[in-house]
Amino acid sequence: MKNLTLLTDLYQLTMINGYFENGVHDDIVVFDMFFRKNACKGGYTIVCGIDQLVEYINNLNFSNSDLEYLRGLNLFSDEFLDFLKDFKFTGDIYSVPEGTVMFPNEPIIRIKAPLYQAQLIETALLTIVNFQSLIASKASRVCFAAQGDSVLEFGLRRAQGPDAGIYGARAAIIGGCSATANVLAGKMFDIPIVGTHAHSWVQKFDSELEAFEAYAKIYPDKCLLLVDTYDVLNSGVPNAIKVFKDLKTKGYKPVGIRLDSGDLDYLSKACKKVLDSEGFTDIQITASNDLDEYAISSLKSSGSPINSWGVGTKLITSADSPSLGGVYKLVASFKNNQIEPKIKISEDPEKITNPGYKKVVRIYNNQGKAEADLIMLEDEVLDTTKPLTVFHPVYTWKKKTFKNYTIRELLQPLFVNGNCVYEKRSVSEIKKYAQNELNTLWREYRRLVYPQTYKVDLSENLWNLKNSMLDTKKNV
């Protein structure tokens, strides 16, 4: 991974310089990363990008070129730039495992580090985790709509640049997609890649049948034909059937057809009828053309026989919800080794932060279903042999008591005292973990429209701390 140390907003550096000039740059602080609303207006968000975050932290250092560039801005003293020469992250970073399902306002990453270090990493951390979490969550929704059908990520040519295409493909696989068309992503992350031919292949030959025959000759055991270059029902499918029959006589099993335009519901049903009548009852029908979870859900509801979905633009750009909006907030500082909680107060109640050095505990019922999350102060301990009552942080009269339950602490160490303790996993392992996470959710939380709101509550101690700080209307 290339050095991304300068992948930051200028105000991070001007603040660090200010901390340095005021002699507080080495003060130990705590920042939380969290989001206020779920991705894609859904009921959950899949956290993604942790692997790249670890690479970023491991490669943090100011090169001579970086320092010369900063010197040329005439904003920083030589003393400060000399200080940056030896920059190395020395703090602690805890995160939920990549692929974890999370919900609004709970810490997904917690940083405890010297102030200047914690401040520098904010921008890169947010851009890495926000984007990939967004795409993983969008992909999960698309796959949920497909009801077990294969979903293929086709978005590279419409992505917002190469990095978005590459890391978006990785996130889409973690979110549930079966494969990507992105060859570089396939190489980098060891993920399945797919692809057949475009309309230009068909156009280049004198006839559609000749184009299909040429393709089948090269890839007889992987023959999936794009049938909508000219006329799906009067040309594309009849010519595909001729080629499929020839392959069958030679001992090969044709894969299927792809539709990329027109009325996908009508055409898929008409194609299926013709294919079945010719004995190709188990042929794959792949569809593409600006699909998303809503279009797929509609087609599935109408009984369309499409059983493979190529999803591009609206997945890789999360077209209807183009940003996650995760934030990074100071929640505590240390003075004489004592924690001093910090809170941000706003006229908008949604933007009031949860103060203190915290952890997140997930509560499961005896069937393994996630029932609620509890944000707690780090030193709090739950006794699972006793009933646990949680309450809504705003509507406190809303309460629920758990008796037969288990808990799991979600934040796990990535760095301790600057040392990386993260255990790298393959994309396929993360994908499997994410699917297991989704399986712990009731379907009500996964609905595409108006999903049920998952319970995220504050411990009584945290709730009391937050409200006492709000009453004083100042940072403690």
Side-chain angles (χ1 to χ4, degrees):
M1 185 176 185
K2 59 187 177 183
N3 189 315
L4 300 178
T5 305
L6 291 189
L7 185 67
T8 189
D9 294 303
L10 180 60
Y11 79 168
Q12 309 288 14
L13 289 167
T14 57
M15 282 191 289
I16 293 170
N17 183 46
Y19 298 144
F20 180 78
E21 294 292 339
N22 283 277
V24 298
H25 58 288
D26 274 326
D27 289 1
I28 303 300
V29 297
V30 179
F31 279 84
D32 287 344
M33 183 200 170
F34 59 95
F35 53 88
R36 297 188 178 104
K37 294 180 180 179
N38 279 315
C40 310
K41 301 178 183 178
Y44 63 90
T45 296
I46 297 177
V47 176
C48 195
I50 302 303
D51 197 71
Q52 283 66 51
L53 172 62
V54 170
E55 289 184 19
Y56 161 72
I57 298 294
N58 277 330
N59 285 280
L60 266 179
N61 68 89
F62 287 88
S63 68
N64 290 334
S65 173
D66 293 339
L67 294 171
E68 285 307 306
Y69 172 74
L70 294 178
R71 195 182 309 277
L73 298 178
N74 296 317
L75 289 172
F76 309 109
S77 67
D78 288 342
E79 184 182 13
F80 176 65
L81 294 175
D82 286 342
F83 169 72
L84 293 182
K85 282 182 182 179
D86 298 321
F87 185 98
K88 182 182 184 301
F89 186 81
T90 62
D92 300 341
I93 301 179
Y94 278 62
S95 166
V96 301
E98 187 162 21
T100 301
V101 172
M102 295 296 281
F103 305 94
N105 299 312
E106 51 189 12
I108 60 177
I109 301 173
R110 185 186 72 197
I111 295 87
K112 177 186 174 186
L115 178 54
Y116 74 99
Q117 298 176 22
Q119 194 73 69
L120 177 69
I121 68 176
E122 173 183 2
T123 301
L125 181 154
L126 289 174
T127 192
I128 290 169
V129 177
N130 274 338
F131 172 71
Q132 293 191 50
S133 300
L134 174 71
I135 302 305
S137 304
K138 183 69 170 180
S140 173
R141 289 169 57 79
V142 172
C143 293
F144 182 74
Q147 300 176 25
D149 293 345
S150 177
V151 176
L152 314 171
E153 189 278 310
F154 281 0
L156 178 57
R157 65 186 63 191
R158 303 288 174 79
Q160 314 290 15
D163 281 354
I166 293 166
Y167 289 101
R170 177 185 183 275
I173 296 295
I174 289 171
C177 290
S178 303
T180 177
N182 187 326
V183 179
L184 181 55
K187 177 186 176 184
M188 288 176 63
F189 307 120
D190 191 26
I191 55 181
I193 59 172
V194 290
T196 54
H197 67 82
H199 296 105
S200 56
W201 172 270
V202 178
Q203 292 172 281
K204 178 63 180 70
F205 290 84
D206 291 337
S207 71
E208 185 177 54
L209 179 60
E210 185 182 352
F212 287 175
E213 289 172 338
Y215 190 82
K217 183 177 180 181
I218 302 169
Y219 301 107
D221 57 347
K222 297 179 181 179
C223 187
L224 190 149
L225 301 173
L226 181 60
V227 296
D228 70 338
T229 303
Y230 302 121
D231 187 321
V232 172
L233 298 177
N234 293 313
S235 173
V237 172
N239 284 328
I241 288 172
K242 291 176 185 177
V243 172
F244 292 165
K245 286 181 176 179
D246 184 56
L247 285 173
K248 196 172 181 180
T249 62
K250 295 175 181 177
Y252 296 104
K253 183 179 178 180
V255 174
I257 63 170
R258 178 161 73 96
L259 299 167
D260 189 50
S261 60
D263 186 330
L264 295 179
D265 186 33
Y266 166 74
L267 289 174
S268 64
K269 289 174 180 175
C271 290
K272 175 67 173 170
K273 184 176 180 180
V274 175
L275 288 164
D276 284 355
S277 70
E278 296 290 342
F280 296 103
T281 57
D282 60 349
I283 211 78
Q284 180 176 306
I285 300 178
T286 298
S288 47
N289 188 30
D290 280 342
L291 296 172
D292 62 9
E293 64 266 46
Y294 303 108
I296 293 173
S297 181
S298 176
L299 286 162
K300 294 291 287 186
S301 296
S302 71
S304 168
I306 296 167
N307 51 19
S308 177
W309 309 86
V311 187
T313 304
K314 292 184 178 180
L315 169 54
I316 203 66
T317 65
S318 188
D320 62 330
S321 181
S323 67
L324 175 59
V327 296
Y328 184 89
K329 298 298 181 183
L330 179 69
V331 294
S333 63
F334 283 76
K335 188 173 184 179
N336 299 322
N337 290 322
Q338 297 296 313
I339 298 174
E340 294 187 333
K342 300 290 183 179
I343 189 169
K344 177 186 180 295
I345 300 175
S346 172
E347 294 294 324
D348 183 352
E350 185 183 65
K351 292 192 173 184
I352 298 173
T353 58
N354 293 317
Y357 192 38
K358 303 179 297 296
K359 60 185 176 184
V360 185
V361 169
R362 182 153 295 165
I363 303 165
Y364 298 90
N365 67 17
N366 55 15
Q367 278 114 23
K369 289 293 187 182
E371 295 281 3
D373 285 3
L374 192 61
I375 307 175
M376 311 173 65
L377 297 173
E378 174 63 21
D379 59 0
E380 292 188 81
V381 177
L382 288 177
D383 183 351
T384 57
T385 65
K386 297 178 179 178
L388 172 64
T389 298
V390 299
F391 58 89
H392 192 284
V394 177
Y395 309 110
T396 54
W397 52 270
K398 290 186 176 182
K399 298 182 179 182
K400 185 175 178 64
T401 298
F402 301 98
K403 293 182 179 179
N404 297 314
Y405 66 96
T406 58
I407 62 171
R408 177 167 70 109
E409 288 197 19
L410 299 183
L411 294 173
Q412 302 296 319
L414 303 179
F415 290 85
V416 177
N417 295 325
N419 298 311
C420 182
V421 296
Y422 170 74
E423 294 185 8
K424 189 178 180 69
R425 296 177 294 161
S426 68
V427 172
S428 62
E429 288 172 326
I430 299 170
K431 176 183 179 179
K432 183 178 179 180
Y433 170 80
Q435 188 56 58
N436 290 336
E437 282 280 285
L438 289 166
N439 288 339
T440 68
L441 296 183
W442 299 102
R443 287 181 66 88
E444 289 84 351
Y445 300 122
R446 300 188 65 186
R447 284 197 298 254
L448 298 181
V449 180
Y450 301 120
Q452 180 66 275
T453 300
Y454 184 83
K455 296 179 181 65
V456 177
D457 300 323
L458 307 184
S459 70
E460 186 172 354
N461 288 348
L462 178 55
W463 189 88
N464 287 334
L465 171 64
K466 181 175 183 177
N467 280 278
S468 67
M469 294 181 74
L470 286 173
D471 286 343
T472 64
K473 296 188 181 298
K474 65 178 181 180
N475 287 348
V476 178

